[in-house]
Amino acid sequence: AAWSILGGIDFQRLLKGGKVPPETAGRITLCSAQYFRLFGTTRVPGKTQDKLCTFTESNHICVERRGYWYLINNITDLSMNQILKHLEDIVEDARGRPYGPGVAAYTGVDRTNWAKNREHLLLQPGNQQSFDWIEKALFHIVLSEDSPTTKDEVLRLGAYGNGQQIWFDKSSTHIVFENGRMVSNL
């Protein structure tokens, strides 16, 4: 998981520095401007229309484990060992706790219902700050307890996890399984 985080941060640095060459399809050069939306971008539900928001100054990620969301701040300034320590602490904190509320499941339902539920959740104390962290994060990491053994299992769990892990409104989520396999939901 720590390597995937560092890889994401390195790719973002290359993008910001203009060092990612444009892709081509045969002789046609493709626009790579959409790559910037991989970082700090969230779809915010609306009752009639969603809004795509990109937060260019984000410097944190959110990590999901067992239904709980954790924040790792100043991610671009951390070493591999510091990131690994954060991840180990997250796994230890979530160990033995009952499964969390699974709020991410709302992001996979009808958009109008999600907009209404989001409004209700934002009225609860502390939730505005939590939503800000989740929505403004550079990307998400899911530390899954699953250990898929086949490509089909990896793809299925990468598409929707257990139904409560993946914040589907986030542009970039990386799911790291207990057995070390990984898949990205973009």
Side-chain angles (χ1 to χ4, degrees):
W3 279 113
S4 67
I5 292 168
L6 279 180
I9 298 304
D10 287 345
F11 186 66
Q12 185 199 32
R13 281 190 186 120
L14 290 171
L15 276 174
K16 283 186 170 184
K19 296 182 180 176
V20 175
E23 290 191 40
T24 59
R27 296 177 192 217
I28 301 170
T29 301
L30 304 174
C31 176
S32 57
Q34 72 272 12
Y35 285 135
F36 286 99
R37 296 222 187 263
L38 285 174
F39 302 99
T41 299
T42 298
R43 178 177 57 164
V44 177
K47 289 181 181 172
T48 59
Q49 182 177 352
D50 291 353
K51 181 170 63 172
L52 195 63
C53 300
T54 301
F55 305 95
T56 57
E57 300 304 313
S58 294
N59 193 22
H60 71 278
I61 64 168
C62 285
V63 179
E64 189 279 344
R65 175 73 172 189
R66 294 184 52 79
Y68 298 97
W69 288 88
Y70 299 86
L71 174 75
I72 302 179
N73 260 322
N74 302 314
I75 194 68
T76 57
D77 301 327
L78 299 180
S79 70
M80 170 68 80
N81 287 336
Q82 290 170 315
I83 293 169
L84 187 57
K85 174 71 170 117
H86 279 289
L87 297 173
E88 289 169 344
D89 290 347
I90 289 167
V91 169
E92 186 57 36
D93 183 70
R95 186 185 324 277
R97 292 174 76 178
Y99 202 86
V103 174
Y106 285 122
T107 66
V109 300
D110 169 81
R111 303 306 296 170
T112 302
N113 286 331
W114 170 216
K116 290 175 188 173
N117 285 319
R118 184 179 182 278
E119 280 182 5
H120 175 74
L121 289 167
L122 286 172
L123 297 175
Q124 308 304 310
N127 280 355
Q128 180 64 59
Q129 183 65 61
S130 296
F131 271 79
D132 282 350
W133 287 335
I134 290 169
E135 293 176 345
K136 292 179 181 179
L138 286 172
F139 53 87
H140 292 170
I141 296 288
V142 173
L143 298 176
S144 174
E145 293 180 291
D146 294 309
S147 290
T149 57
T150 68
K151 185 183 347 177
D152 286 345
E153 286 179 298
V154 170
L155 294 174
R156 181 181 54 79
L157 290 167
Y160 53 83
N162 67 6
Q164 298 180 11
Q165 300 166 307
I166 301 172
W167 197 274
F168 291 106
D169 290 345
K170 197 69 193 164
S171 62
S172 181
T173 299
H174 309 284
I175 301 113
V176 181
F177 301 106
E178 201 73 29
N179 61 3
R181 292 183 180 217
M182 185 189 139
V183 66
S184 295
N185 187 305
L186 306 173

